[in-house]
Amino acid sequence: IFAWSTNKDSFYISNDGEMMTYSGSDRDIMNIYVEDGIFYAAPNKTADNDGITFTWQSADGVNWTHDAEKKVAWDKMSNDARVASNGDVTLESNIDVRGSWRNYEGNKNITGTLTFKDGSTAGVIFEDTKGIDYVRMFGGNGWFLMTDNDGRWYYSADGITRGAASDVPFGYERINYLADSFGVRLYSNGSRFIYFNTNDGSMYSGDMSQFDALSAPDAVRVKLNGNFLSFVNPPVIRGDRTLISVRFLFECMGASVDWNDIGRTVTITYGGNTVELAIDSDRAIVNGAEKTLDVPAQLINEKTMIPLRFISEELGFNVNYDETNKIAEISN
């Protein structure tokens, strides 16, 4: 059991039932690091020039033993939760560039960098979730978990395609404001996890099977001029055609997107070209001329979804599809 007081001393009950005290320099109770399936924990005041001395270790996040000799270099610490890995790819976000308080009108989308095992890299752009940005992300064997500043969690297998927003899967009360979201930490040794909130000192340990219900669709990934796009609503297949969320894609292209709620029409303008589509209609108006769509524009989860190839090519973009990796590459 961990807790901290108003004078910033932190307390815990040892395995022997004794009340122990750490005098910390800030509100963080401890640092946690995972190595070879073992959780290591230490208070902030145990650091020296050689690194952090980890005074406790645990295989399950529940039963801890003392190890006064274990040290880990500072550069191995991952408490800022801006860099995560699923074992195959590392995702680094630039949220620190954006600043702490970003939940306001006019935000731009957060970007990041994917680094693959062979050393190659690619950018990724995350669609803003109605002004609620991601603030922390975590990784484990084959998964990423991201949290926004309203306490919602998003699962991704590859750091690009996201599942639907959900609460913390093991039932912990949703964090309702930005400051607490920044204090959330999640660590996993593959079979067990530790959920830690540095703001109030609460810690929860559980089995990774509690995350089994989280998933993300096996969707086509979209790459625009070298950057992957991470959609709130991932692309879907309808009649052998890929439908894609219109606003995020074309605003990333630099196009203008206007929605008419009365007529349920969307108008896209880019480079002197104008395309107008109506929801559930297989007709499109391209620069004043009517054309037929293979699949009509549709509303899916309150997002306007349109045929990717038709719109991109009508606006002067090139679209190539990598069948093996299910990647649609768009370039101009």
Side-chain angles (χ1 to χ4, degrees):
I1 300 174
F2 291 88
W4 58 271
S5 67
T6 54
N7 65 4
K8 299 181 181 178
D9 285 343
S10 54
F11 304 88
Y12 69 93
I13 298 175
S14 73
N15 291 333
D16 296 326
E18 295 183 61
M19 178 66 74
M20 310 293 288
T21 304
Y22 290 141
S23 294
S25 60
D26 57 33
R27 292 169 64 176
D28 285 353
I29 294 170
M30 59 183 175
N31 297 290
I32 295 179
Y33 176 72
V34 182
E35 183 177 69
D36 296 330
I38 302 297
F39 297 103
Y40 294 95
N44 289 338
K45 296 297 286 186
T46 59
D48 56 33
N49 291 333
D50 295 327
I52 299 176
T53 301
F54 282 79
T55 56
W56 298 92
Q57 66 180 28
S58 173
D60 59 10
V62 178
N63 301 292
W64 295 81
T65 57
H66 186 262
D67 184 357
E69 303 300 322
K70 179 66 178 179
K71 291 187 178 182
V72 176
W74 280 106
D75 60 5
K76 287 191 175 182
M77 298 303 298
S78 58
N79 278 0
D80 64 3
R82 288 169 290 186
V83 181
S85 174
N86 68 353
D88 291 320
V89 62
T90 299
L91 173 59
E92 181 174 0
S93 169
N94 75 343
I95 62 171
D96 54 327
V97 177
R98 296 281 307 280
S100 298
W101 299 87
R102 301 181 312 277
N103 190 8
Y104 60 89
E105 194 75 21
N107 273 345
K108 297 296 183 182
N109 300 294
I110 287 179
T111 61
T113 302
L114 294 162
T115 302
F116 302 93
K117 278 187 173 180
D118 63 3
S120 62
T121 61
V124 58
I125 304 173
F126 295 96
E127 182 179 4
D128 189 5
T129 56
K130 298 183 179 179
I132 303 174
D133 291 341
Y134 297 111
V135 293
R136 285 295 181 262
M137 59 187 183
F138 311 94
N141 184 21
W143 53 267
F144 291 98
L145 285 171
M146 306 169 189
T147 180
D148 65 25
N149 56 23
D150 195 37
R152 296 181 182 89
W153 291 74
Y154 302 81
Y155 172 89
S156 175
D158 58 9
I160 302 168
T161 304
R162 295 175 257 172
S166 65
D167 289 343
V168 178
F170 46 85
Y172 196 87
E173 183 179 355
R174 174 182 286 186
I175 298 160
N176 288 316
Y177 56 94
L178 179 65
D180 267 3
S181 291
F182 268 87
V184 169
R185 304 289 187 266
L186 183 71
Y187 306 90
S188 172
N189 67 354
S191 60
R192 301 280 298 178
F193 70 89
I194 291 177
Y195 173 89
F196 179 49
N197 187 339
T198 63
N199 297 284
D200 62 10
S202 60
M203 187 171 73
Y204 182 101
S205 179
D207 192 276
M208 282 301 297
S209 63
Q210 296 183 49
F211 290 85
D212 288 348
L214 297 179
S215 64
D218 183 21
V220 172
R221 292 179 291 179
V222 176
K223 205 171 186 180
L224 174 62
N225 292 327
N227 293 311
F228 285 102
L229 303 184
S230 179
F231 295 86
V232 173
N233 277 6
V236 298
I237 304 296
R238 294 289 187 274
D240 295 329
R241 292 291 181 266
T242 300
L243 298 184
I244 197 166
S245 179
V246 57
R247 185 172 297 278
F248 179 50
L249 170 66
F250 291 105
E251 287 184 350
C252 286
M253 289 179 171
S256 172
V257 181
D258 295 308
W259 168 256
N260 184 318
D261 194 44
I262 297 176
R264 300 215 315 163
T265 60
V266 60
T267 303
I268 305 163
T269 306
Y270 179 81
N273 295 310
T274 300
V275 179
E276 181 178 310
L277 303 100
I279 298 300
D280 298 328
S281 172
D282 63 356
R283 304 294 177 181
I285 306 299
V286 181
N287 296 326
E290 185 177 283
K291 295 197 175 184
T292 301
L293 300 172
D294 293 333
V295 179
Q298 303 173 32
L299 278 180
I300 300 176
N301 296 329
E302 300 182 355
K303 294 281 188 179
T304 303
M305 308 285 282
I306 59 175
L308 170 61
R309 181 177 294 276
F310 175 84
I311 295 300
S312 298
E313 292 181 348
E314 291 298 335
L315 290 174
F317 286 81
N318 299 313
V319 181
N320 293 308
Y321 186 67
D322 179 347
E323 185 78 35
T324 301
N325 297 302
K326 294 178 65 175
I327 297 174
E329 297 195 42
I330 307 171
S331 61
N332 60 356

